[in-house]
Amino acid sequence: MQAIARQPEAYGIIRQNMLLGFALAEALALIGFVVPFVFGT
Amino acid sequence: MAFGVVASGGPECHLFSGCGFPAPGAEIFQFDAVLSFTIGGLAFNISKVTILLFLAVVVILGFFGYAFRKPKLVPRGAQNVGELGYLFIRDGIVRETIGKGGDKFIPFLFSFFFLVWILNFWGVVPGAQLPVTSIFAIPVTFAIIVYVTWVPLGIYKQGFVGFFKNIMFPPGVPKAMYILLTPIELISNFLVRPFTHAVRLFANMFAGHLLLATFSVAAFYLLSFSVIGILGSAASFSLAVLLTGFEAFIQALQAYIFTLLAAVYIGSALHAEH
């Protein structure tokens, strides 16, 4: 948010990198959630 | 099998009727073939998944074929929407990750974005209600297509030695760090990357669909003439509705992220990091 406020013209790139970081971090949690379903019994 | 979620506990299965909560599991992603046939020794089993997959292709071809049937300089109606989608891919994804040289890849990434999005979107369409990408084979196929695109592309653009050198020995690092860094970069770029690319999409859709199924089953199961039953059922039902909206957002986001990552990989193949 601060980065966007400081440099509004870079909004596109900042948003894109934020979403990318969100996706990379979220994937690990979701793998943990899904693996027991896939490999359990 | 379409009614299998509720039927897993039977239509009479409610709270206080003596049966446990029929929690949905991985079995809600398995479908019986509607149609089976063999062509030249290859067995084809057409199930709900296959039908939705083909339907997605028909929807995309139909919409964009209609939108651009008679393209005009000043777009109107469906052509506006089609151009908006194109500009989103070009300015939002390709130009920012690959740069101007990436315009060649717009058709590739455009197809990926809309195919993944529509396949995800079946998850909230009444009647379909199955995100096709929650069947692991489909995101795996997509990830393999992206992988066999960017690896040969990098070898072609940077040369075999240059491509591997740029990935295994990123510049600007103290020499001694390469002992640690090279194996990590090698594994993370060539083994973990395609795997997480597929699993991210699959796991999101799988988890989201399971969540919706759980609350839908809970709303049905808790429905009984008691305070806790009515309250719990109403709460589960409203959560299921709310989460459907949330899932619609996640589906678009995951399609965007899948395409964005594909663009980042292609960009990294086109020009080396510096």
Side-chain angles (χ1 to χ4, degrees):
Chain A
M1 291 301 123
Q2 204 179 20
I4 295 170
R6 285 182 181 206
Q7 228 169 336
E9 69 270 26
Y11 177 62
I13 280 189
I14 293 167
R15 180 193 57 187
Q16 182 193 311
N17 280 313
M18 279 168 74
L19 284 176
L20 205 62
F22 159 74
L24 293 176
E26 186 203 31
L28 284 177
L30 279 169
I31 290 170
F33 176 77
V34 167
V35 160
F37 280 101
V38 177
F39 293 103
T41 57
Chain B
M1 209 53 203
F3 204 62
V5 178
V6 173
S8 67
E12 295 302 315
C13 182
H14 286 295
L15 189 65
F16 305 129
S17 70
C19 73
F21 178 58
E27 78 279 352
I28 64 170
F29 296 94
Q30 274 147 22
F31 293 92
D32 298 331
V34 199
L35 184 70
S36 297
F37 55 90
T38 315
I39 300 175
L42 272 174
F44 289 87
N45 286 309
I46 306 298
S47 67
K48 186 182 175 185
V49 181
T50 336
I51 293 169
L52 288 178
L53 189 62
F54 278 106
L55 217 57
V57 176
V58 169
V59 166
I60 293 167
L61 285 181
F63 176 74
F64 287 106
Y66 173 75
F68 295 110
R69 72 201 179 285
K70 273 182 282 173
K72 296 192 184 71
L73 195 61
V74 182
R76 292 186 62 199
Q79 198 193 341
N80 251 331
V81 183
E83 288 196 2
L84 208 65
Y86 176 80
L87 284 179
F88 169 67
I89 303 296
R90 194 189 71 180
D91 297 337
I93 295 179
V94 175
R95 289 273 167 92
E96 277 173 12
T97 49
I98 310 181
K100 264 221 141 136
D103 280 14
K104 287 196 288 277
F105 296 98
I106 293 175
F108 180 72
L109 296 167
F110 184 89
S111 322
F112 255 123
F113 177 77
F114 283 98
L115 184 58
V116 172
W117 187 27
I118 298 294
L119 288 182
N120 289 350
F121 194 68
W122 290 138
V124 294
V125 173
Q129 271 160 336
L130 171 80
V132 180
T133 39
S134 66
I135 310 297
F136 195 34
I138 287 158
V140 163
T141 315
F142 292 167
I144 289 173
I145 294 172
V146 172
Y147 189 70
V148 299
T149 305
W150 75 266
V151 172
L153 189 74
I155 294 172
Y156 173 71
K157 285 274 172 188
Q158 303 173 26
F160 191 82
V161 177
F163 176 63
F164 281 95
K165 193 177 143 269
N166 278 321
I167 279 178
M168 289 159 70
F169 302 99
V173 179
K175 286 271 185 297
M177 282 302 286
Y178 284 136
I179 304 167
L180 201 63
L181 205 58
T182 303
I184 293 176
E185 287 286 315
L186 198 66
I187 290 169
S188 77
N189 278 312
F190 291 110
L191 296 177
V192 178
R193 217 182 226 193
F195 177 73
T196 53
H197 198 198
V199 164
R200 180 173 302 111
L201 180 60
F202 158 72
N204 265 292
M205 290 305 117
F206 186 95
H209 188 56
L210 206 55
L211 207 62
L212 289 185
T214 304
F215 280 112
S216 308
V217 171
F220 182 80
Y221 172 74
L222 290 170
L223 195 63
S224 54
F225 291 106
S226 61
V227 177
I228 188 157
I230 290 166
L231 280 181
S233 182
S236 303
F237 181 76
S238 5
L239 256 174
V241 173
L242 270 177
L243 284 170
T244 303
F246 179 67
E247 273 309 302
F249 163 70
I250 291 289
Q251 285 160 1
L253 186 70
Q254 285 306 317
Y256 172 71
I257 284 169
F258 188 91
T259 321
L260 185 68
L261 283 171
V264 168
Y265 298 160
I266 289 172
S268 78
L270 280 183
H271 24 71
E273 283 178 56
H274 39 72

